[in-house]
Amino acid sequence: MILIDYPEKSQWQELLKRPVMNTESLFGVVQGIIGRVKAEGDEAVREYERQFDKVELTTLAVSPEEFEEAEHRVSEELKAAIRLATDNIAAFHASQRFEGKKVETRPGVVCWQKAVAIEKVGLYIPGGTAPLFSTVLMLAVPARIAGCREIVLCTPPGRDGKVHPAVLFAARVAGVQQVFKAGGVQAIAAMAYGTQSIPKVYKIFGPGNQYVTAAKQLVGLRDVAIDMPAGPSEVEVLADGTADPVFVAADLLSQAEHGVDSQAMLITTSKELQQAVKDEVERQLEALPRKEIAARSLANSKLIVVRSMEEAVDMTNAYAPEHLIIETADYQSVAGKIVHAGSVFLGSLTPESAGDYASGTNHTLPTNGYAKAYSGVSLDSFIRKMTFQEISPEGLRQIGPAIEVMAANESLDGHKNAVAVRLKAIGDVK
C-alpha cells in the first residue's frame, strides 16, 4: 500500500482518484451484443453464453428440479446463515415503507402521494470469482417487500450449465421464482428488451464488471431504468490512534479481495497507526486464499496521515466512499460530520462485512464518488410515488385566479381557459 504523510489540500483531488474505468471505450462492442440480443432473443443469448461462459445451454430458465437439487447441495449451516440475513434485511427494509398523508394546501385543495411498486424488475447477479448469493438477498428481499409483481433474476451458469446452488437457495428464500442462466451484457440486454424466455423488465439492478456497467448505461439511456452508476467496490477506514491495527488491516483486506480494481483507503491522524496497519496488512495478506487479487488491489490503495480529525473528515467527505468505517474514540461525534458516504460502520466492532451480509442494511451502494448524489438501494428503489390532487369549488376559487394569471404570463392561453371554463361553471365568472 502507498503511504502518504500530511498532504496539502491542493493534492487531495489527485490522491483520492479511483482506478480508472473507461466504460465509454467499450460502448461499440457492448452495443453490438445488445443489438443481436434485441434482434435474435434466446438464440443470441445462448451463443454469447457459449462464447463468454463456455457453456452449451438448451434452455435458459432454471427448472424446478434444479431449485430442488440446489437446496440439497447447500449446507444446513449456510442455509441458517442465509435465513438469518434474510430476516434482518427484511426487517430493516420493511421499516422504510412509505405512508403518504393528505395535505390541504388551501381550503378545498387537497394533495397527496401514493407509493406504487415497479411491476417488473430485473436483478443481475454476477458470477466471476465468487458466487454473490448475498446480493440476491439485497435486491430480491426489498423487491418482494415493495410488492413488485414480477422479479426476474439473471446470473451466469458454471461450465456444467448450472447456477451455483447457494444463489438458487437464496433466490428461493427471497421469493424469486424466475431465474435465468445468462451473464454479462447479454443478460442486461435480455432483461431490457425481453427474449422468448426472459421477460422484459422496467428497471434493472445489480453489480457487474465494466462490460455490465457499460451495458446498463446504454440500455438506461432510453429503454429501461437502472439502479445507479456503478464502479469497482471501495472502502475507507477513518481512524485515530485508539484504533486496533489488526481490525483496520482486516477491514482493508476484506475490501481488497473483492477484485483487482477495488480500492481500500485509510485516513488517520496517527502516524503510528499508519505504520502498524501497513505491517499488519502484509502479515494478514499472506493467509488470504485470494492473496493475488488482494495484492493487486492494494496497489490502488493508500494509507494517509493527516494533521487533525477535522482534516480527516473533510478529506472523507471529498472522497465520498462507498463504505466508511469510523474507528475513533468519539465515533458518534465524527459520524455526525459525515455528509458523503454510501454506508457507514461505527466503532471497532462493526466491520464492513456486517453490512455486506447480515446486519440488515443494503450492500448495493454508490461507488466512484457518486455517494455525493446517489443513495444505496432501499425500498424506495423499487417503488414510484404518484401524486394526486382534488379540488373543490372553494379550492378552485382559492387558486384559480392565480393559475389564470401565471398561464397568461407564460402565453399558455389553453391552460388559462381550462380554469376559466370551470370558474364560469361554478358561477364565479359571468
Side-chain angles (χ1 to χ4, degrees):
M1 299 184 78
I2 302 166
L3 274 63
I4 298 162
D5 296 344
Y6 311 110
E8 297 300 324
K9 196 163 188 176
S10 59
Q11 300 173 283
W12 287 9
Q13 184 175 355
E14 186 65 28
L15 285 179
L16 300 178
K17 280 184 176 178
R18 273 81 168 175
V20 175
M21 187 172 76
N22 182 16
T23 55
E24 290 87 348
S25 65
L26 306 176
F27 281 176
V29 172
V30 169
Q31 188 65 68
I33 297 171
I34 291 172
R36 278 204 62 190
V37 172
K38 189 176 181 181
E40 301 172 24
D42 283 359
E43 183 180 344
V45 174
R46 286 195 297 267
E47 183 173 324
Y48 286 124
E49 283 303 309
R50 188 182 308 117
Q51 181 179 337
F52 298 129
D53 292 328
K54 312 300 181 189
V55 60
E56 291 280 352
L57 297 173
T58 53
T59 59
L60 299 177
V62 172
S63 68
E65 293 75 21
E66 287 175 296
F67 272 104
E68 290 300 324
E69 179 189 353
E71 184 157 358
H72 293 305
R73 292 176 59 194
V74 177
S75 71
E76 292 303 319
E77 181 182 43
L78 180 53
K79 286 178 184 177
I82 288 173
R83 290 189 180 106
L84 180 146
T86 300
D87 289 346
N88 291 352
I89 295 165
F92 182 68
H93 288 79
S95 74
Q96 300 166 18
R97 285 193 177 101
F98 174 78
E99 295 182 12
K101 61 180 181 179
K102 292 189 174 183
V103 178
E104 193 171 35
T105 57
R106 278 286 191 276
V109 181
V110 182
C111 305
W112 68 97
Q113 283 186 316
K114 177 183 176 183
V116 183
I118 298 172
E119 287 191 336
K120 302 179 181 183
V121 296
L123 316 181
Y124 182 71
I125 308 300
T129 57
L132 297 182
F133 56 84
S134 58
T135 303
V136 177
L137 305 180
M138 296 293 173
L139 299 177
V141 170
R144 174 173 51 80
I145 292 170
C148 299
R149 184 168 56 82
E150 189 167 16
I151 303 172
V152 175
L153 188 154
C154 284
T155 189
R159 294 196 180 185
D160 60 355
K162 296 182 179 180
V163 172
H164 193 282
V167 169
L168 290 184
F169 179 75
R172 173 166 279 187
V173 169
V176 179
Q177 305 298 326
Q178 299 185 84
V179 178
F180 298 92
K181 302 170 186 177
V185 175
Q186 60 271 26
I188 302 302
M191 291 189 287
Y193 302 107
T195 71
Q196 294 86 344
S197 299
I198 302 172
K200 172 181 168 52
V201 301
Y202 302 150
K203 188 172 182 179
I204 296 174
F205 297 79
N209 63 21
Q210 56 188 346
Y211 290 92
V212 168
T213 298
K216 286 173 66 179
Q217 289 174 332
L218 284 172
V219 301
L221 288 174
R222 65 179 68 89
D223 301 305
V224 67
I226 63 171
D227 48 2
M228 70 186 80
S233 193
E234 62 203 28
V235 70
E236 179 201 321
V237 179
L238 173 56
D240 61 15
T242 67
D244 186 327
V246 174
F247 293 177
V248 175
D251 289 333
L252 297 175
L253 285 169
S254 74
Q255 189 62 48
E257 72 173 358
H258 264 297
V260 297
D261 52 2
S262 295
Q263 188 172 57
M265 304 279 279
L266 169 66
I267 298 177
T268 181
T269 53
S270 169
K271 177 70 177 169
E272 292 75 16
L273 181 70
Q274 179 200 45
Q275 185 59 49
V277 168
K278 177 180 182 295
D279 295 341
E280 191 60 32
V281 164
E282 292 171 356
R283 187 188 71 78
Q284 292 185 29
L285 178 63
E286 292 302 313
L288 282 184
R290 294 167 67 88
K291 173 184 173 182
E292 290 185 16
I293 291 173
R296 290 176 64 187
S297 168
L298 292 175
N300 304 317
S301 303
K302 301 178 178 75
L303 306 177
I304 303 173
V305 181
V306 295
R307 294 174 179 84
S308 66
M309 187 54 62
E310 181 181 6
E311 194 170 312
V313 167
D314 288 347
M315 183 179 282
T316 298
N317 283 325
Y319 183 54
E322 176 190 17
H323 306 96
L324 173 63
I325 302 169
I326 303 178
E327 298 191 43
T328 64
D330 57 344
Y331 58 80
Q332 290 285 3
S333 172
V334 173
K337 300 169 185 173
I338 300 299
V339 293
H340 296 148
S343 190
V344 183
F345 303 79
L346 301 177
S348 62
L349 297 181
T350 313
E352 179 217 317
S353 310
D356 274 353
Y357 292 108
S359 65
T361 62
N362 209 288
H363 77 202
T364 308
L365 301 165
T367 61
N368 200 34
Y370 283 113
K372 292 177 180 176
Y374 284 84
S375 306
V377 165
S378 67
L379 198 66
D380 275 352
S381 306
F382 296 90
I383 65 173
R384 300 157 290 128
K385 293 191 178 93
M386 297 166 55
T387 57
F388 295 79
Q389 50 254 288
E390 182 181 11
I391 302 175
S392 70
E394 173 60 19
L396 195 61
R397 294 185 185 101
Q398 288 273 337
I399 67 172
I403 297 170
E404 289 181 300
V405 169
M406 294 173 76
N409 278 271
E410 288 191 346
S411 299
L412 296 174
D413 289 340
H415 284 63
K416 177 183 176 182
N417 188 56
V419 173
V421 295
R422 286 173 167 82
L423 287 173
K424 184 175 181 179
I426 63 175
D428 276 46
V429 178
K430 295 182 180 178

